[in-house]
């Protein structure tokens, strides 16, 4: 660069530099309230159940939010690469449970809008929402969140939304959002990838390169959670087709196939296809319909024929390979269940099974074990205490093998991308019938904790590969962690708030007729 040119550039930078920087760096807020609400669980999700991400010192907050593998981390990472001026607003979530109280939703929304106001002028908002939130007064809590943001920021303001694979996407939310995408994978291993995709759609939208145009089609069916593994038939080819369209079609910005969440008794319950094109509504509609037809065509494969708890435990005991994973579908914590179901525990004890591991959320039993201390003789009624859906307490005798603060770390990408877990004070009980080589281990936790990481066991001195039977309170999400070590997986038709069979529930608000229910 010669000196004259250098001087010109310097002058220009001094004169209009600030304005140019502001124009070239879109200011994008990150916000979200995430919850999957089980309509059948009477235990409402309250404000105190929500964790709010620390945003003190915004630039440090962004660096913290960037670590991990979830959609927010993906959005921050890609947003920085795209030179966004990122503004961290309210990001919050709670473990699945009953519907969200109006008080919680209103308080969090007021706080979110307040923070967004403080962050103005904004060029766009990224909203990380689950998509299956039910609130006391709002059947589609997520749609209400986007409606309020839309109302505040006006018709043309870019609002890009990400949803979980288990979203019950409503037609209204597609009206309120500028663009909406859902995770493609279950177990959810593509969360970070989706956050990045949202950032790219945001960049194209704020620059005027994209005019996102969405079409939504919902086939009239319940896509049973048992068949929501996107890495296996029948869903895998449909997800592959969504990826192919995104990669190969120049006018298609995103294709989302979500499985839905069958424990929400709301009009939008069920799977959804959302296609986003660059200003081609006809193409969006056509492709959304075609993929929805593909979902509909798989319905004869969605049969339910699973063993009840007694039969499942017998099968596990007689198995000549180990470990056998017993999937307690009725008490799927990630689906908003109690985490203290005892139907399988009852059978393990009564059938004198050996070499089993099971986790029960029971803070009372943990406190009792903590008072006894390591080595103490344990004799206490465990589980079945939170509600009337998950069996009776079971009397357990044994000794306290270990007490632990319940914190552990997962370095690998697992369902949802969480790395740091905390299940509260934890006790491991060596239950009677154990031998030195083969132990019956009952892990008691203070908080309900999803079995998404083997470190939940390993950090408590349990070697899962050495055990004969591993009980997980989950449906599909545990697979990323357990499949590599499982010799056999048996899904169990256990009762509970997340029972796999829809016939166990009375639906009042879903669209009828619905395949899989009617
Ligand atoms: Zn999910």
């Amino acid at each position: 660069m010669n000196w004259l040119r250098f001087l010109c550039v310097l002058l220009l930078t001094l004169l209009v530099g600030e304005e140019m920087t502001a124009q070239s760096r879109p200011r994008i807020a990150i916000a979200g309230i995430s919850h999957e609400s089980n309509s059948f669980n009477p235990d409402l999700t309250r404000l105190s159940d929500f964790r709010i991400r620390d945003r003190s010192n915004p630039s440090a907050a962004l660096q913290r939010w960037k670590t991990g593998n979830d959609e927010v981390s993906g959005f921050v990472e890609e947003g920085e690469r795209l030179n966004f001026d990122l503004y961290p607003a309210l990001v919050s979530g709670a473990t699945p449970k009953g519907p969200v109280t109006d008080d919680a939703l209103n308080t969090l929304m007021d706080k979110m809008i307040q923070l967004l106001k403080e962050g103005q002028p904004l060029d766009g908002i990224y909203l990380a929402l689950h998509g299956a939130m039910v609130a006391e007064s709002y059947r589609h809590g997520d749609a209400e969140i986007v409606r309020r943001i839309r109302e505040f920021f006006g018709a043309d303001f870019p609002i890009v939304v990400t949803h979980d694979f288990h979203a019950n996407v409503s037609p209204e939310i597609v009206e309120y959002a500028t663009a909406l995408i859902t995770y493609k994978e279950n177990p959810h291993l593509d969360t970070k990838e989706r956050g990045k995709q949202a950032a790219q759609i945001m960049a194209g939208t704020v620059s005027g390169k994209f005019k996102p145009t969405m079409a939504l089609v919902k086939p009239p069916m319940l896509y049973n959670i048992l068949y929501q593994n996107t890495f296996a038939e029948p869903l895998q080819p449909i997800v592959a087709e969504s990826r192919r369209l995104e990669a190969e079609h120049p006018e298609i910005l995103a294709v989302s196939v979500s499985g839905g969440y069958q424990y929400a008794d709301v009009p939008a319950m069920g799977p959804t296809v959302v296609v986003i094109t660059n200003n081609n509504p006809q193409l969006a509609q056509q492709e959304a319909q075609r993929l929805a037809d593909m979902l509909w065509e798989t319905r004869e494969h969605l049969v339910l024929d699973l063993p009840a708890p007694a039969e499942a435990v017998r099968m596990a005991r007689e198995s000549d390979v180990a470990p056998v994973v017993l999937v307690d579908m009725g008490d799927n914590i990630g689906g908003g269940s109690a985490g203290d179901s005892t139907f399988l525990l009852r059978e393990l004890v009564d059938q004198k099974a050996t070499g089993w591991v099971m986790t029960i959320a029971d803070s009372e039993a943990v406190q009792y074990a903590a008072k006894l201390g390591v080595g103490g003789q344990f004799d206490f009624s465990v589980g079945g205490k939170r509600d009337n859906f998950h069996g009776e307490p079971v009397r357990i005798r044994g000794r306290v093998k270990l007490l632990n603060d319940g914190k552990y770390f997962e370095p690998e990408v697992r369902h949802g991308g969480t790395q740091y877990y905390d299940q509260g004070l934890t006790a491991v009980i060596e239950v009677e019938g154990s031998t030195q080589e083969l132990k019956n281990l009952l892990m008691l936790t203070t908080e309900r904790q999803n079995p998404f990481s083997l470190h939940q066991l390993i950090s408590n001195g349990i070697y899962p590969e050495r055990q004969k039977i591993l009980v997980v309170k989950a449906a599909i999400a545990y697979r990323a962690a357990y499949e590599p070590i499982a010799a056999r997986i048996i899904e169990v038709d256990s009762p509970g708030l997340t029972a796999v069979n829809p016939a166990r529930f009375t639906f009042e608000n879903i669209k009828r007729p619905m395949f899989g229910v009617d």
Side-chain angles (χ1 to χ4, degrees):
M1 188 186 292
N2 64 44
W3 68 271
L4 190 66
R5 202 165 146 222
F6 176 77
L7 203 67
C8 287
V9 169
L10 189 71
L11 266 170
L12 202 70
T13 310
L14 286 173
L15 283 169
V16 294
E18 214 163 60
E19 198 186 341
M20 274 174 69
T21 313
Q23 275 176 359
S24 59
R25 289 195 78 200
R27 184 162 166 82
I28 309 295
I30 301 173
I33 306 171
S34 192
H35 195 251
E36 184 182 75
S37 322
N38 187 319
S39 295
F40 304 100
N41 190 340
D43 190 3
L44 297 178
T45 303
R46 295 166 199 286
L47 188 60
S48 57
D49 292 315
F50 281 88
R51 300 169 299 271
I52 298 177
R53 287 202 195 188
D54 180 12
R55 59 179 296 284
S56 53
N57 185 351
S59 65
L62 286 171
Q63 293 319 300
R64 282 195 304 276
W65 293 13
K66 198 166 65 169
T67 62
N69 293 302
D70 63 10
E71 59 271 43
V72 171
S73 73
F75 193 91
V76 175
E77 191 177 304
E78 187 66 5
E80 286 183 348
R81 199 188 66 79
L82 292 164
N83 203 24
F84 290 171
D85 174 15
L86 292 169
Y87 172 72
L90 179 122
V91 176
S92 180
T95 304
K97 209 168 63 168
V100 175
T101 61
D102 286 350
D103 170 59
L105 181 66
N106 291 332
T107 308
L108 291 169
M109 275 313 291
D110 289 350
K111 178 82 182 151
M112 185 196 287
I113 288 180
Q114 177 60 36
L115 287 174
L116 292 171
K117 267 192 214 169
E118 289 169 16
Q120 284 183 317
L122 294 169
D123 297 300
I125 296 174
Y126 163 56
L127 283 174
L129 307 176
H130 181 283
M133 181 197 288
V134 180
E136 281 176 300
S137 300
Y138 305 98
R139 284 172 178 171
H140 299 115
D142 305 277
E144 177 60 16
I145 291 169
V146 187
R147 191 193 66 76
R148 292 188 195 183
I149 302 278
R150 174 61 70 209
E151 189 178 73
F152 188 81
F153 286 91
D156 296 322
F157 188 79
I159 302 172
V160 176
V161 178
T162 55
H163 270 351
D164 190 276
F165 175 81
H166 296 105
N168 291 320
V169 188
S170 65
E172 301 82 57
I173 199 168
V174 167
E175 293 295 317
Y176 304 139
T178 308
L180 180 146
I181 60 175
T182 67
Y183 306 162
K184 287 181 165 49
E185 295 177 358
N186 187 36
H188 309 330
L189 306 182
D190 66 325
T191 45
K192 188 161 199 164
E193 197 189 329
R194 295 285 79 74
K196 290 182 179 182
Q197 188 180 19
Q200 288 154 12
I201 293 173
M202 179 68 85
T205 306
V206 295
S207 72
K209 191 174 151 210
F210 297 158
K211 186 177 185 308
T213 309
M214 285 197 279
L216 162 145
V217 177
K218 294 181 77 72
M221 67 200 299
L222 177 152
Y223 215 96
N224 199 287
I225 190 164
L226 186 64
Y227 292 99
Q228 289 190 350
N229 182 356
T230 60
F231 297 89
E233 299 266 1
L235 271 182
Q236 189 277 333
I238 306 173
V239 175
E241 179 61 8
S242 74
R243 286 192 187 276
R244 189 193 67 79
L245 281 172
E246 284 183 1
E248 294 178 8
H249 206 301
E251 285 181 283
I252 290 179
L253 302 178
V255 179
S256 299
V257 178
S258 51
Y261 172 71
Q262 72 198 54
Y263 309 106
D265 182 14
V266 296
M269 190 271 273
T272 316
V273 181
V274 178
V275 175
I276 312 176
T277 61
N278 189 7
N279 201 20
N280 187 337
Q282 212 179 339
L283 177 68
Q285 186 63 37
Q286 169 202 312
E287 291 304 311
Q289 187 63 54
R290 190 171 65 82
L291 268 76
D293 291 345
M294 286 175 78
L295 286 170
W296 181 246
E297 288 306 318
T298 62
R299 67 194 181 284
E300 63 268 32
H301 300 288
L302 311 181
V303 282
L304 285 177
D305 182 19
L306 302 180
E311 171 67 0
V313 169
R314 190 191 60 74
M315 288 162 71
R317 279 173 47 230
E318 291 171 2
S319 173
D320 44 18
V321 293
V324 175
V325 174
L326 290 180
V327 187
D328 191 352
M329 304 284 293
D331 192 17
N332 168 15
I333 295 169
S337 191
D340 74 341
S341 167
T342 55
F343 295 107
L344 281 163
L345 182 62
R346 179 82 271 159
E347 290 299 330
L348 290 167
V349 171
D350 287 357
Q351 294 190 33
K352 297 191 165 48
T354 51
W356 53 267
V357 178
M358 184 163 177
T359 302
I360 296 265
D362 185 337
S363 56
E364 198 186 73
V366 173
Q367 289 304 323
Y368 168 76
K371 279 206 191 82
L372 293 174
V374 172
Q377 290 299 311
F378 185 94
D379 185 349
F380 201 72
S381 286
V382 166
K385 295 172 188 171
R386 275 183 187 249
D387 52 43
N388 300 320
F389 304 100
H390 298 95
E392 295 294 318
V394 174
R395 187 170 176 188
I396 294 292
R397 295 185 192 83
R399 65 176 199 98
V400 181
K401 182 168 173 54
L402 174 142
L403 293 163
N404 189 325
D405 69 359
K407 293 185 169 74
Y408 55 98
F409 168 68
E410 171 58 71
E412 302 293 326
V413 177
R414 295 291 183 238
H415 177 89
T418 303
Q419 289 192 311
Y420 297 94
Y421 290 88
D422 185 354
Q423 61 188 19
L425 186 63
T426 297
V428 177
I429 310 302
E430 192 176 303
V431 180
E432 63 180 3
S434 297
T435 65
Q436 281 217 313
E437 300 77 31
L438 204 52
K439 298 189 187 305
N440 303 330
L441 299 171
L442 178 65
M443 180 157 74
L444 300 167
T445 63
T446 300
E447 306 292 337
R448 295 176 300 149
Q449 182 64 280
N450 287 299
F452 295 165
S453 166
L454 287 180
H455 292 280
Q456 183 182 20
L457 304 179
I458 296 164
S459 66
N460 284 295
I462 300 170
Y463 304 94
E465 294 95 328
R466 292 189 193 171
Q467 300 292 132
K468 283 180 71 178
I469 302 173
L470 307 170
V471 179
V472 293
K473 293 182 174 296
I476 301 285
Y478 72 92
R479 282 180 179 267
Y482 282 78
E483 259 180 359
I485 61 145
R488 187 175 176 195
I489 291 173
I490 300 174
E491 286 143 331
V492 188
D493 184 12
S494 46
L497 284 171
T498 54
V500 67
N501 188 350
R504 291 184 190 266
F505 302 94
T506 307
F507 291 94
E508 287 169 357
N509 303 309
I510 61 171
K511 287 236 166 82
R512 311 303 274 259
M514 177 175 277
F515 172 84
V517 183
D518 298 308

